[in-house]
Amino acid sequence: MAPPSNRRSGHSRRAQYGVFTGYVVAGLGALIGALLLGISLFQPGFMAVPRTIATDAVEPVADANAAVRNEGRGFIESIQGYLRAGSQNDALRKEVELARIRLAEAEALKTENARLQGLLGLTREDAEPVTVARLVGSSSSSTRRFAYMGAGRNDGVREGMPVRSARGIVGRVLEVGRNSSRILLLTDSESVVPVRRSSDEVVAFAEGRGDGRLDIRLINLGVNPLKEGDVFVTSGAGGFYEPGIAVAIVSELTDDGAIARVISDPAATDYVSVEQIYQPQATQGAETPIEEELGAQDGGSDTPEGDTEGDTDGQDAADDEG
């Protein structure tokens, strides 16, 4: 009968010595580990020198591994970039073509504007803002829509001056104090701003609804040409606002126009700039009653006629004496 393949260690002295040696080594390892743990707890600085020695010893190997890792990553990225180069070049080519088209259109518009301004004798200069201030509050509970600004008469602010942010028109100055001002917002029910559609010359009035939105009322009634997403800018009529400043975006169509949301939301606006009135003479003429204008013209015409009659009478008396 063949002997079993696995024999107990008790039958082999060599196996017994191997097991005993394993236990001794394991015990010594545990003892050394416990000793090192105690030293690291009670004398942390004692292990700094062995640690630095070990780090210095493995530093060349770690440096070589890092170099190999970086080279491998760079090689993989270069392969990926080569594979994506075709699609990226195609997309960039299309973007460049579109940019050239837009640039040509902009140049054409610039030339046309220069020609029209030359015909009308107009020159446009970018005026410096009167001041830049922070919006310090607004009327949240009132049915009217006002905002309050931390700049006033001492900063050069006057009534009627337009107030705008980086996004567009906010409103115009209604009342001015020494260091603060009250602003009539575009969404107030008493606010009316002449506007036009940015893409063409469709003109309208932007009237505040008092609920944070605007009514776009077309001047020429008929088939409503508006559609959702149309952007309206100031037209310059009325003389308060410079033309071409963003006002609102159409969000809902109506029978005589549309309902739009304000582009420059005062609730999301921190700082605003106060601009000069675009055409002060136009605003003064609009605020002057027609009866006063006609009376001034009649009074001016009476004076020369009276002087002429007086001169004629004096000349006749001189002729009679002669």
Side-chain angles (χ1 to χ4, degrees):
M1 182 176 180
S5 59
N6 293 331
R7 301 175 60 187
R8 294 191 306 171
S9 61
H11 298 281
S12 175
R13 189 174 299 274
R14 180 180 298 176
Q16 292 177 356
Y17 287 155
V19 172
F20 177 74
T21 302
Y23 286 142
V24 171
V25 172
L28 291 176
L31 181 62
I32 294 173
L35 179 62
L36 294 176
L37 179 61
I39 293 174
S40 63
L41 292 177
F42 294 101
Q43 296 291 335
F46 179 78
M47 301 300 296
V49 176
R51 233 182 354 254
T52 55
I53 294 174
T55 303
D56 293 339
V58 300
E59 190 275 335
V61 179
D63 191 9
N65 290 334
V68 173
R69 185 171 59 252
N70 292 334
E71 291 293 335
R73 184 168 59 247
F75 179 72
I76 294 174
E77 290 178 353
S78 63
I79 294 177
Q80 293 176 349
Y82 178 78
L83 296 177
R84 292 195 301 263
S87 60
Q88 290 178 350
N89 290 337
D90 185 61
L92 290 175
R93 182 178 56 81
K94 293 180 179 179
E95 291 181 2
V96 170
E97 290 178 354
L98 291 176
R100 288 177 178 174
I101 295 173
R102 297 293 181 267
L103 181 60
E105 294 175 348
E107 289 295 332
L109 290 176
K110 181 179 178 180
T111 303
E112 181 66 14
N113 289 336
R115 184 182 68 83
L116 294 176
Q117 289 179 357
L119 292 175
L120 297 175
L122 298 178
T123 58
R124 179 177 178 181
E125 298 179 357
D126 294 332
E128 293 292 332
V130 176
T131 185
V132 177
R134 184 193 296 270
L135 289 181
V136 296
S138 62
S139 56
S140 58
S141 59
S142 174
T143 56
R144 302 296 301 275
R145 290 293 180 263
F146 300 114
Y148 300 91
M149 176 178 60
R153 190 175 295 106
N154 292 342
D155 303 291
V157 180
R158 298 294 181 267
E159 294 181 0
M161 288 184 172
V163 180
R164 62 172 299 179
S165 68
R167 295 175 60 86
I169 289 294
V170 175
R172 61 185 176 92
V173 177
L174 186 63
E175 295 177 355
V176 181
R178 180 173 298 179
N179 296 310
S180 63
S181 303
R182 187 164 68 152
I183 302 171
L184 179 69
L185 298 177
L186 293 179
T187 54
D188 186 81
S189 58
E190 298 296 327
S191 173
V192 179
V193 179
V195 296
R196 66 174 178 85
R197 190 162 61 176
S198 61
S199 58
D200 51 24
E201 295 299 328
V202 175
V203 293
F205 287 105
E207 301 177 359
R209 294 170 53 93
D211 60 353
R213 297 181 296 173
L214 300 175
D215 278 329
I216 304 297
R217 300 194 181 277
L218 297 173
I219 295 178
N220 299 324
L221 299 179
V223 179
N224 192 345
L226 304 181
K227 59 181 181 296
E228 294 185 8
D230 284 345
V231 178
F232 277 84
V233 298
T234 53
S235 64
F240 284 102
Y241 303 101
E242 180 182 358
I245 305 177
V247 176
I249 299 178
V250 172
S251 59
E252 180 182 347
L253 299 181
T254 60
D255 295 335
D256 58 347
I259 298 175
R261 56 185 179 86
V262 180
I263 292 179
S264 180
D265 186 5
T269 302
D270 191 8
Y271 285 92
V272 294
S273 63
V274 182
E275 308 288 340
Q276 293 284 357
I277 297 177
Y278 178 56
Q279 292 179 343
Q281 294 82 2
T283 59
Q284 293 174 2
E287 294 174 356
T288 303
I290 186 64
E291 294 83 2
E292 183 177 341
E293 283 289 333
L294 294 176
Q297 292 178 2
D298 294 340
S301 61
D302 291 342
T303 302
E305 293 177 359
D307 293 342
T308 304
E309 292 177 357
D311 295 340
T312 304
D313 294 340
Q315 184 65 33
D316 292 343
D319 293 340
D320 292 341
E321 291 178 357

